[in-house]
Amino acid sequence: MLWTWDKTDAVVRCGLVSAVLTVAARAVISSCCWSSFFILWGALATLYVISAFPQVSTKGRAVLITGCDSGFGLHLALHLHKLGFRVFAGCLQADGRGRAGAESLQKLKSDRLHVVQLDVTSQAQVDKAVKEVKKILPDGEVLWGLVNNAGWATYGDVEWVSLDTVRRIVDVNVLGLIAVTKAFLPLLRRSKGRVVTITSGLARMAVPMRSSYVLTKYATEGFCDCLRYEMRSWGVHVSIIEPGNFIAGTSIFTEASIREMAAKMWESMDPEVKADYGRERFEARVQLMKSYSNSGDTDVTPVLNAFTEGLVQRWPQVRYNPMNVYFRTRVFIATHLPECIYEKIYVG
């Protein structure tokens, strides 16, 4: 069995059933049919949980993953290879300096793991990657999955972040993702495969100092929702992974990177903005960001499981939420309760 029992997945599926049945509850309760209501709830909840178990085989199926230099992408490439997939690991630095991730994958010397040079912001490299995948795929094998994992993160108040920085993060997190998806969709349509895209818990709620990052995650979710509707008639499933806080497990932010970003922000800031905010307030916000660099979960297994479920479950979910209880509660409040409540609790 490729996928093992995941309590979180079961809870999410039961929660979705509860939400649907709540709508029908009034009609049932008005007839005083409490027993019928609970029987119906139990039957549908059981059916929905059971639907998580049927899986497709990994044999003869390949997956392309972007952003395999480090973090989730690197771990996922190794994980999916172990499960039996043919893996195309797209790396920003497959050649030259800073290629530690690519080298660790190449050391496996496996004929089912291929490191591909892939900068998602370069259309030339995207097109070349498509040709390489087609050339390498043996007869009888198909490209089953595309995992959009590549991304970049930054921070800073709206007035601090330069437009060049905003353009860069949009180029990587949104336009690059769209370019890769469009390029590989013909292969995925033929295999009736999967597109699995990582966004963030911050695709469901905004926080101060993260406007540039948050806007790209909101945009990505909108793109994936539209793509999911369009791909239904082709039999291609589109899923979104919304992880909680795994900064400590991925090193997406480090104290060194935070300091470097702070220096560039202050240097590029308008004199009027510098005068209004002041260096003391700016440094206080930078220190707050540094405190986040070691926060969150260090075990990325829940995220790897979510990616795997999106690829192997016969009936995958639209959204997977690998989060701890704190983050899941916060997202629930942000999504379902009045915004003033969320702001009072979490923004101040």
Side-chain angles (χ1 to χ4, degrees):
M1 191 172 188
L2 302 176
W3 170 78
T4 56
W5 173 257
D6 189 332
K7 292 181 180 179
T8 301
D9 184 63
V11 170
V12 170
R13 287 174 179 262
C14 287
L16 289 172
V17 171
S18 298
V20 172
L21 289 178
T22 298
V23 177
R26 291 182 180 179
V28 177
I29 294 172
S30 65
S31 303
C32 298
C33 297
W34 283 97
S35 59
S36 298
F37 171 74
F38 286 115
I39 291 172
L40 180 61
W41 184 93
L44 288 179
T46 301
L47 180 64
Y48 201 59
V49 171
I50 291 175
S51 71
F53 285 92
Q55 300 172 23
V56 299
S57 171
T58 62
K59 186 177 180 180
R61 288 182 166 95
V63 177
L64 182 132
I65 311 166
T66 65
C68 293
D69 299 85
S70 61
F72 294 140
L74 178 58
H75 290 295
L76 184 63
L78 296 169
H79 178 66
L80 294 183
H81 173 264
K82 186 176 181 179
L83 291 181
F85 281 108
R86 180 179 298 277
V87 176
F88 293 94
C91 292
L92 175 63
Q93 297 169 318
D95 303 307
R97 294 189 308 169
R99 57 189 303 271
E103 287 179 344
S104 67
L105 294 172
Q106 290 168 334
K107 284 179 181 178
L108 289 178
K109 299 186 184 302
S110 169
D111 61 358
R112 286 189 297 104
L113 202 158
H114 315 277
V115 176
V116 179
Q117 173 60 41
L118 183 54
D119 178 351
V120 299
T121 67
S122 167
Q123 189 62 53
Q125 290 194 20
V126 171
D127 294 340
K128 184 178 179 181
V130 173
K131 292 178 181 178
E132 192 169 347
V133 168
K134 289 180 177 179
K135 182 179 179 181
I136 293 174
L137 270 178
D139 291 339
E141 289 194 19
V142 297
L143 182 68
W144 171 253
L146 167 64
V147 175
N148 286 311
N149 170 73
W152 183 62
T154 187
Y155 74 99
D157 286 14
V158 171
E159 289 188 284
W160 301 355
V161 181
S162 69
L163 281 178
D164 285 341
T165 299
V166 175
R167 290 188 182 99
R168 179 188 174 191
I169 196 169
V170 170
D171 201 18
V172 175
N173 294 4
V174 182
L175 299 179
L177 178 149
I178 294 173
V180 172
T181 302
K182 285 171 65 69
F184 284 98
L185 273 178
L187 289 173
L188 296 170
R189 282 192 283 103
R190 292 185 181 91
S191 67
K192 299 185 184 299
R194 308 289 171 84
V195 178
V196 183
T197 300
I198 189 166
T199 60
S200 170
L202 297 187
R204 302 276 291 277
M205 60 185 182
V207 295
M209 288 204 302
R210 302 298 301 279
S211 60
S212 299
Y213 181 78
V214 168
L215 77 87
T216 65
K217 297 308 176 181
Y218 276 40
T220 300
E221 294 246 341
F223 170 76
C224 289
D225 283 339
C226 292
L227 181 67
R228 184 174 69 256
Y229 304 149
E230 294 170 4
M231 287 295 107
R232 279 178 178 172
S233 62
W234 295 98
V236 176
H237 289 281
V238 179
S239 297
I240 297 170
I241 311 297
E242 298 174 332
N245 183 0
F246 287 88
I247 293 177
T250 61
S251 299
I252 192 170
F253 283 115
T254 63
E255 288 200 17
S257 67
I258 290 170
R259 283 197 304 269
E260 182 180 353
M261 291 178 189
K264 290 180 178 178
M265 267 194 293
W266 186 257
E267 183 181 346
S268 64
M269 208 179 297
D270 291 339
E272 184 179 6
V273 175
K274 286 183 180 180
D276 287 347
Y277 281 90
R279 188 66 188 244
E280 184 176 347
R281 178 175 178 178
F282 175 80
E283 290 296 341
R285 301 286 273 178
V286 172
Q287 288 301 318
L288 178 62
M289 195 65 202
K290 286 181 180 179
S291 70
Y292 297 150
S293 64
N294 295 314
S295 67
D297 297 317
T298 57
D299 182 8
V300 300
T301 302
V303 180
L304 301 184
N305 286 340
F307 275 124
T308 305
E309 289 161 11
L311 291 167
V312 305
Q313 285 180 336
R314 189 167 296 279
W315 297 289
Q317 292 180 201
V318 171
R319 282 172 171 79
Y320 294 89
N321 309 108
M323 310 173 173
N324 59 26
V325 174
Y326 166 79
F327 218 89
R328 188 177 294 276
T329 302
R330 184 168 176 173
V331 168
F332 178 86
I333 291 172
T335 304
H336 299 292
L337 299 186
E339 292 183 7
C340 60
I341 296 178
Y342 171 79
E343 293 176 5
K344 185 68 174 178
I345 297 174
Y346 297 107
V347 181

